[in-house]
Amino acid sequence: MKENYIIAAFRETVAQRFPEQSVELNRLLDEKLSRLRSMHLNASKEKQFHLESQILPGIAAYETLQTVMPKDEALQTVHGYVAEHAWTMRKTILKLLKVSGLYHLPPVLFSKLTPKLYGETAGFAATEYQTSGGVWRIDMTKCPYHDTCVEHGCPELCPCFCDSDDIAYDDLHPKLVWHRTKTLGRGNECCDFCLKLAGK
């Protein structure tokens, strides 16, 4: 199984920057991740997807890096891991959108996939405003990324994940508009997501 991208990036960081401590730092990371997992054993399969893919590895890496660097630097390091991953995803999306007319699809896909991947069973809650006619507009009022970071005392980590959305989806195509002014992770009351065809 391919190693989680945050864990892989962490191991590369400590190998390059802290080679004499790398064994101990990797052991500490694994311990922290195991402890975090044990605290979320009862989470649903849908929520586990988010916990395992980004949230728990992010928290474990952030906590472990703080043992060898200032807190702000540790935060920026993990932010870099998440941002790099988002840039990679963006490149893939941009390649797909080069296909003529395919720019129509993202709002439709977001409308269909959000309830499945970002629904209540995964720990999210949303108010829908429009999810058809070339417009996907919802307010996310509950988010496991935000809730889990707060639960484990690192709310400042959540904006890393918020920023990754903006990297991946903003300004993808002249006929697609990504719009979001607020996020839970940045201290607002909701994440006001909107992806629509231009002119809608």
Side-chain angles (χ1 to χ4, degrees), residues 44-54 117-118:
S44 67
K45 180 180 70 174
E46 294 84 358
K47 187 174 181 179
Q48 285 290 357
F49 170 78
H50 295 279
L51 290 169
E52 285 294 328
S53 64
Q54 298 201 106
L117 298 177
Y118 302 89

Side-chain angles (χ1 to χ4, degrees), residues 134-154:
V135 177
W136 173 75
R137 181 172 170 245
I138 68 168
D139 282 356
M140 196 68 77
T141 55
K142 182 176 173 59
C143 168
Y145 289 80
H146 173 254
D147 292 345
T148 309
C149 287
V150 170
E151 178 185 350
H152 293 287
C154 54

Side-chain angles (χ1 to χ4, degrees), residues 33-81:
L33 189 54
S34 179
R35 176 180 56 82
L36 288 165
R37 284 171 171 158
S38 71
M39 298 171 72
H40 295 274
L41 290 174
N42 294 326
S44 67
K45 180 180 70 174
E46 294 84 358
K47 187 174 181 179
Q48 285 290 357
F49 170 78
H50 295 279
L51 290 169
E52 285 294 328
S53 64
Q54 298 201 106
I55 304 171
L56 299 186
I59 294 172
Y62 179 44
E63 289 183 351
T64 306
L65 287 170
Q66 287 181 61
T67 65
V68 287
M69 61 176 65
K71 187 174 183 177
D72 286 351
E73 186 180 354
L75 182 61
Q76 287 307 310
T77 301
V78 176
H79 189 287
Y81 301 158

Side-chain angles (χ1 to χ4, degrees), residues 24-26 30 40 53 57 78 81 83-84 87 111-112 114-115 122 135 141 155 158 163 172 178-179 185 190 192:
E24 174 61 20
L25 289 170
N26 280 309
D30 293 339
H40 295 274
S53 64
V78 176
Y81 301 158
E84 185 176 351
W87 281 111
S111 297
K112 289 184 177 180
T114 298
V135 177
T141 55
C158 188
D163 291 349
L172 286 172
W178 165 261
H179 182 71
C190 70
D192 57 343

